[in-house]
Amino acid sequence: MDRIPILRIGDVLIVSIQIDLEDRSVLVLQDDLAQRVSETGAHGVVIDISAIEIVDSFIGRMFASIASISRLFDADTVVVGMRPAVAITLVELGMTLGEVRTALNLEKGLAILSALRAERMPRPAEDDDEPVQALS
């Protein structure tokens, strides 16, 4: 069985699925990705499914599961490159992808992760510029 490579760019993990997904390969991907997110402290995961032509309900549920596991490690997940036939199939199956965000392509997926990270960054207090008065 081929393992799906997980690449790291900065604090984002990128998974480009270029093989036909089988139940076992998705389960291995889930385990490998959880391990990598935990080891690296990545804040985001992008899963590129542009090469996937067919999904079933198990694989759809596994994307949601992967996103939930990544979220437990403080990482957001974006699925990019979904083909229209795959989207139609997921809707016909009544699937929701849970915490999975979707984007048309890798660039937009990375932009979503960047925006989510910016939202979570602590903002400096507005009154930090005011001088501190000495106590007498």
Coordinates of all heavy atoms in Angstrom, one line a residue, residues 77-132:
T77 N -8.3 22.7 9.0 CA -8.2 21.9 7.8 C -9.0 22.6 6.6 O -10.1 23.0 6.8 CB -8.7 20.5 8.0 OG1 -8.0 19.9 9.1 CG2 -8.6 19.6 6.8
V78 N -8.4 22.6 5.5 CA -9.1 23.1 4.3 C -8.9 22.0 3.2 O -7.8 21.6 2.9 CB -8.5 24.4 3.8 CG1 -9.2 24.9 2.5 CG2 -8.6 25.5 4.8
V79 N -10.0 21.6 2.6 CA -9.9 20.7 1.4 C -10.0 21.6 0.2 O -10.9 22.4 0.0 CB -11.1 19.7 1.5 CG1 -11.2 18.9 0.2 CG2 -10.9 18.8 2.7
V80 N -9.1 21.3 -0.7 CA -9.0 22.2 -2.0 C -9.1 21.3 -3.2 O -8.8 20.1 -3.1 CB -7.7 23.0 -2.0 CG1 -7.6 23.9 -0.8 CG2 -6.5 22.2 -2.2
G81 N -9.6 21.9 -4.3 CA -9.5 21.2 -5.6 C -10.7 20.2 -5.8 O -10.5 19.3 -6.6
M82 N -11.8 20.3 -5.1 CA -12.8 19.4 -5.2 C -13.5 19.5 -6.6 O -13.8 20.6 -7.1 CB -13.9 19.6 -4.2 CG -15.0 18.6 -4.1 SD -16.2 18.9 -2.9 CE -15.2 18.8 -1.4
R83 N -13.6 18.4 -7.3 CA -14.2 18.4 -8.6 C -15.7 18.5 -8.5 O -16.3 18.0 -7.4 CB -13.9 17.1 -9.3 CG -12.4 17.0 -9.7 CD -12.2 15.7 -10.4 NE -10.8 15.6 -10.9 CZ -10.4 15.0 -11.9 NH1 -11.3 14.3 -12.7 NH2 -9.1 15.0 -12.3
P84 N -16.4 19.0 -9.5 CA -17.9 19.1 -9.4 C -18.6 17.8 -9.1 O -19.5 17.7 -8.3 CB -18.3 19.7 -10.8 CG -17.1 20.5 -11.2 CD -15.9 19.7 -10.7
A85 N -18.1 16.7 -9.8 CA -18.8 15.4 -9.6 C -18.6 15.0 -8.1 O -19.6 14.3 -7.6 CB -18.1 14.4 -10.5
V86 N -17.5 15.2 -7.5 CA -17.3 14.9 -6.1 C -18.2 15.7 -5.2 O -18.9 15.1 -4.3 CB -15.8 15.1 -5.7 CG1 -15.6 14.9 -4.2 CG2 -14.9 14.1 -6.4
A87 N -18.3 17.0 -5.5 CA -19.2 17.8 -4.7 C -20.7 17.3 -4.8 O -21.4 17.2 -3.8 CB -19.1 19.3 -5.1
I88 N -21.1 17.0 -6.0 CA -22.5 16.5 -6.3 C -22.7 15.2 -5.5 O -23.7 15.0 -4.9 CB -22.7 16.4 -7.8 CG1 -22.8 17.8 -8.4 CG2 -24.0 15.6 -8.0 CD1 -22.7 17.7 -10.0
T89 N -21.7 14.3 -5.6 CA -21.8 13.1 -4.9 C -22.0 13.3 -3.4 O -22.8 12.7 -2.7 CB -20.6 12.2 -5.1 OG1 -20.5 11.9 -6.5 CG2 -20.7 10.8 -4.4
L90 N -21.2 14.2 -2.8 CA -21.3 14.4 -1.3 C -22.6 15.0 -1.0 O -23.2 14.6 0.0 CB -20.1 15.4 -0.9 CG -18.7 14.8 -1.0 CD1 -17.7 15.9 -0.7 CD2 -18.6 13.6 0.0
V91 N -23.1 15.9 -1.8 CA -24.5 16.4 -1.5 C -25.5 15.3 -1.6 O -26.4 15.2 -0.8 CB -24.8 17.6 -2.5 CG1 -26.2 18.0 -2.3 CG2 -23.8 18.8 -2.1
E92 N -25.4 14.5 -2.7 CA -26.4 13.5 -2.9 C -26.4 12.4 -1.7 O -27.4 11.8 -1.4 CB -26.2 12.8 -4.2 CG -26.6 13.6 -5.4 CD -26.3 13.0 -6.7 OE1 -25.6 11.9 -6.8 OE2 -26.7 13.5 -7.8
L93 N -25.2 12.2 -1.2 CA -25.1 11.3 0.0 C -25.6 12.0 1.3 O -25.6 11.3 2.3 CB -23.6 10.9 0.1 CG -23.1 9.9 -1.0 CD1 -21.6 9.7 -0.8 CD2 -23.8 8.6 -1.0
G94 N -25.9 13.3 1.2 CA -26.3 14.0 2.4 C -25.1 14.2 3.4 O -25.3 14.4 4.6
M95 N -23.9 14.3 2.9 CA -22.7 14.4 3.7 C -22.5 15.9 4.1 O -22.7 16.8 3.3 CB -21.5 13.9 3.0 CG -21.5 12.5 2.6 SD -21.2 11.4 4.0 CE -19.8 12.1 4.8
T96 N -22.1 16.1 5.3 CA -21.6 17.4 5.7 C -20.2 17.1 6.1 O -19.8 16.0 6.6 CB -22.4 18.0 6.9 OG1 -22.3 17.0 8.0 CG2 -23.8 18.2 6.5
L97 N -19.3 18.0 5.9 CA -17.9 17.8 6.2 C -17.5 18.4 7.5 O -16.3 18.5 7.8 CB -17.1 18.4 5.0 CG -17.3 17.7 3.7 CD1 -16.4 18.4 2.6 CD2 -17.0 16.2 3.7
G98 N -18.4 18.6 8.4 CA -18.1 19.1 9.7 C -17.2 20.3 9.7 O -17.6 21.3 9.1
E99 N -16.1 20.3 10.4 CA -15.2 21.5 10.5 C -14.4 21.7 9.3 O -13.5 22.6 9.3 CB -14.4 21.3 11.7 CG -15.1 21.2 13.0 CD -14.2 21.0 14.2 OE1 -13.1 21.5 14.2 OE2 -14.7 20.4 15.2
V100 N -14.6 20.9 8.2 CA -13.7 21.1 7.0 C -14.2 22.3 6.3 O -15.3 22.5 5.9 CB -13.8 19.8 6.1 CG1 -13.0 20.0 4.8 CG2 -13.4 18.6 6.9
R101 N -13.2 23.2 6.0 CA -13.5 24.3 5.1 C -13.0 23.9 3.7 O -12.2 23.0 3.6 CB -12.7 25.5 5.5 CG -13.2 26.0 6.9 CD -12.3 27.1 7.4 NE -12.5 27.4 8.7 CZ -13.4 28.4 9.1 NH1 -14.1 29.0 8.2 NH2 -13.6 28.6 10.4
T102 N -13.6 24.4 2.7 CA -13.2 24.1 1.3 C -12.8 25.4 0.6 O -13.3 26.5 0.9 CB -14.4 23.4 0.6 OG1 -15.5 24.3 0.6 CG2 -14.8 22.1 1.2
A103 N -12.0 25.2 -0.4 CA -11.5 26.3 -1.3 C -11.3 25.7 -2.7 O -11.1 24.5 -2.8 CB -10.2 26.9 -0.8
L104 N -11.4 26.6 -3.7 CA -11.2 26.1 -5.0 C -9.8 25.6 -5.3 O -9.7 24.6 -6.1 CB -11.6 27.2 -6.0 CG -13.0 27.6 -6.1 CD1 -13.3 28.8 -7.0 CD2 -13.9 26.4 -6.5
N105 N -8.8 26.2 -4.8 CA -7.4 25.8 -5.1 C -6.5 26.0 -3.9 O -6.9 26.5 -2.9 CB -6.9 26.5 -6.3 CG -7.0 28.0 -6.1 OD1 -6.7 28.6 -5.1 ND2 -7.5 28.7 -7.2
L106 N -5.3 25.6 -4.1 CA -4.3 25.7 -3.0 C -4.1 27.1 -2.5 O -4.0 27.4 -1.3 CB -3.0 25.0 -3.4 CG -1.8 25.1 -2.4 CD1 -2.2 24.3 -1.2 CD2 -0.6 24.5 -3.1
E107 N -4.0 28.0 -3.4 CA -3.7 29.4 -3.1 C -4.8 29.9 -2.2 O -4.6 30.6 -1.2 CB -3.6 30.3 -4.4 CG -3.3 31.7 -4.1 CD -3.2 32.5 -5.4 OE1 -3.4 32.0 -6.5 OE2 -2.8 33.7 -5.3
K108 N -6.1 29.7 -2.6 CA -7.2 30.1 -1.7 C -7.3 29.4 -0.4 O -7.6 30.0 0.6 CB -8.5 30.0 -2.5 CG -8.6 31.0 -3.7 CD -9.9 30.9 -4.4 CE -9.9 32.0 -5.5 NZ -11.1 32.0 -6.2
G109 N -6.9 28.1 -0.4 CA -6.8 27.4 0.8 C -5.8 27.9 1.8 O -6.1 28.1 3.0
L110 N -4.7 28.3 1.3 CA -3.6 28.9 2.2 C -4.1 30.3 2.7 O -3.8 30.6 3.8 CB -2.3 29.0 1.4 CG -1.6 27.6 1.1 CD1 -0.4 27.9 0.2 CD2 -1.2 26.9 2.4
A111 N -4.8 31.0 1.8 CA -5.3 32.3 2.3 C -6.3 32.1 3.4 O -6.3 32.9 4.4 CB -5.9 33.0 1.1
I112 N -7.2 31.1 3.3 CA -8.1 30.9 4.4 C -7.4 30.6 5.7 O -7.7 31.1 6.8 CB -9.1 29.7 4.0 CG1 -10.1 30.2 2.9 CG2 -9.8 29.2 5.2 CD1 -10.9 29.1 2.3
L113 N -6.4 29.7 5.6 CA -5.6 29.4 6.8 C -4.9 30.6 7.4 O -4.9 30.8 8.6 CB -4.6 28.2 6.5 CG -5.2 26.9 6.3 CD1 -4.1 25.9 5.9 CD2 -6.0 26.4 7.4
S114 N -4.4 31.4 6.5 CA -3.7 32.6 7.0 C -4.7 33.6 7.7 O -4.4 34.1 8.8 CB -3.0 33.3 5.8 OG -2.4 34.5 6.3
A115 N -5.9 33.7 7.1 CA -6.9 34.6 7.8 C -7.4 34.0 9.1 O -7.5 34.8 10.1 CB -8.1 34.7 6.8
L116 N -7.5 32.7 9.2 CA -7.9 32.1 10.4 C -6.9 32.3 11.5 O -7.2 32.6 12.7 CB -8.2 30.6 10.3 CG -9.5 30.2 9.5 CD1 -9.5 28.7 9.1 CD2 -10.7 30.6 10.2
R117 N -5.6 32.2 11.1 CA -4.5 32.4 12.1 C -4.5 33.8 12.6 O -4.3 34.1 13.7 CB -3.2 32.0 11.5 CG -2.1 32.1 12.5 CD -0.8 31.6 11.9 NE 0.2 31.8 12.9 CZ 0.9 30.9 13.5 NH1 0.7 29.6 13.1 NH2 1.9 31.2 14.4
A118 N -4.7 34.8 11.6 CA -4.7 36.2 12.0 C -5.8 36.5 13.0 O -5.6 37.3 13.9 CB -4.8 37.0 10.8
E119 N -7.0 35.8 12.8 CA -8.1 36.1 13.8 C -7.7 35.6 15.2 O -8.2 36.1 16.1 CB -9.3 35.3 13.3 CG -10.0 35.9 12.1 CD -11.2 35.0 11.6 OE1 -11.6 34.1 12.4 OE2 -11.7 35.3 10.6
R120 N -6.9 34.6 15.3 CA -6.6 34.0 16.6 C -5.4 34.6 17.3 O -5.1 34.4 18.4 CB -6.3 32.5 16.4 CG -7.5 31.7 16.0 CD -7.3 30.3 16.2 NE -8.5 29.6 15.8 CZ -8.5 28.6 15.0 NH1 -7.4 28.1 14.5 NH2 -9.6 28.0 14.6
M121 N -4.6 35.5 16.5 CA -3.5 36.1 17.1 C -4.0 37.1 18.1 O -4.9 37.9 17.8 CB -2.6 36.8 16.0 CG -2.0 35.8 15.0 SD -0.8 34.7 15.7 CE 0.5 35.8 15.9
P122 N -3.3 37.2 19.2 CA -3.7 38.2 20.2 C -3.4 39.6 19.7 O -2.4 39.8 19.1 CB -2.9 37.9 21.5 CG -1.7 37.0 20.9 CD -2.2 36.4 19.7
R123 N -4.4 40.5 20.0 CA -4.2 41.9 19.5 C -3.7 42.7 20.7 O -4.1 42.5 21.8 CB -5.6 42.4 19.1 CG -6.1 41.8 17.9 CD -7.4 42.4 17.5 NE -7.9 41.7 16.3 CZ -9.2 41.7 16.0 NH1 -10.0 42.4 16.6 NH2 -9.5 41.1 14.9
P124 N -2.8 43.6 20.4 CA -2.3 44.5 21.5 C -3.5 45.4 22.0 O -4.4 45.7 21.3 CB -1.2 45.4 20.8 CG -1.5 45.3 19.3 CD -2.2 44.0 19.1
A125 N -3.4 45.6 23.3 CA -4.5 46.4 23.9 C -4.4 47.8 23.3 O -3.3 48.4 23.0 CB -4.3 46.5 25.4
E126 N -5.6 48.4 23.1 CA -5.6 49.8 22.5 C -5.0 50.8 23.3 O -4.5 51.8 22.8 CB -7.1 50.1 22.2 CG -7.6 49.2 21.1 CD -9.1 49.6 20.7 OE1 -9.5 50.7 21.1 OE2 -9.7 48.8 20.1
D127 N -5.0 50.6 24.6 CA -4.5 51.7 25.5 C -3.0 51.5 25.8 O -2.5 52.1 26.7 CB -5.3 51.8 26.8 CG -5.4 50.5 27.5 OD1 -4.9 49.4 27.0 OD2 -5.8 50.5 28.7
D128 N -2.3 50.6 25.1 CA -0.9 50.4 25.3 C 0.0 51.6 25.0 O 1.1 51.8 25.5 CB -0.3 49.2 24.5 CG -0.7 47.9 25.1 OD1 -1.2 47.9 26.2 OD2 -0.5 46.9 24.4
D129 N -0.5 52.5 24.2 CA 0.2 53.7 23.8 C 0.1 54.8 24.8 O 0.9 55.8 24.8 CB -0.3 54.3 22.4 CG 0.0 53.3 21.3 OD1 0.9 52.5 21.5 OD2 -0.7 53.4 20.3
E130 N -0.8 54.7 25.8 CA -1.0 55.8 26.8 C 0.2 55.6 27.8 O 0.6 54.5 28.2 CB -2.3 55.6 27.5 CG -3.5 55.9 26.5 CD -4.8 55.8 27.3 OE1 -4.8 55.9 28.5 OE2 -5.8 55.6 26.6
P131 N 0.7 56.8 28.2 CA 1.8 56.7 29.2 C 1.3 56.2 30.5 O 0.2 56.4 30.9 CB 2.2 58.2 29.3 CG 1.1 59.0 28.8 CD 0.4 58.1 27.8
V132 N 2.2 55.5 31.2 CA 1.9 55.0 32.5 C 2.1 56.0 33.6 O 3.2 56.7 33.5 CB 2.7 53.7 32.8 CG1 2.5 53.2 34.2 CG2 2.5 52.6 31.8

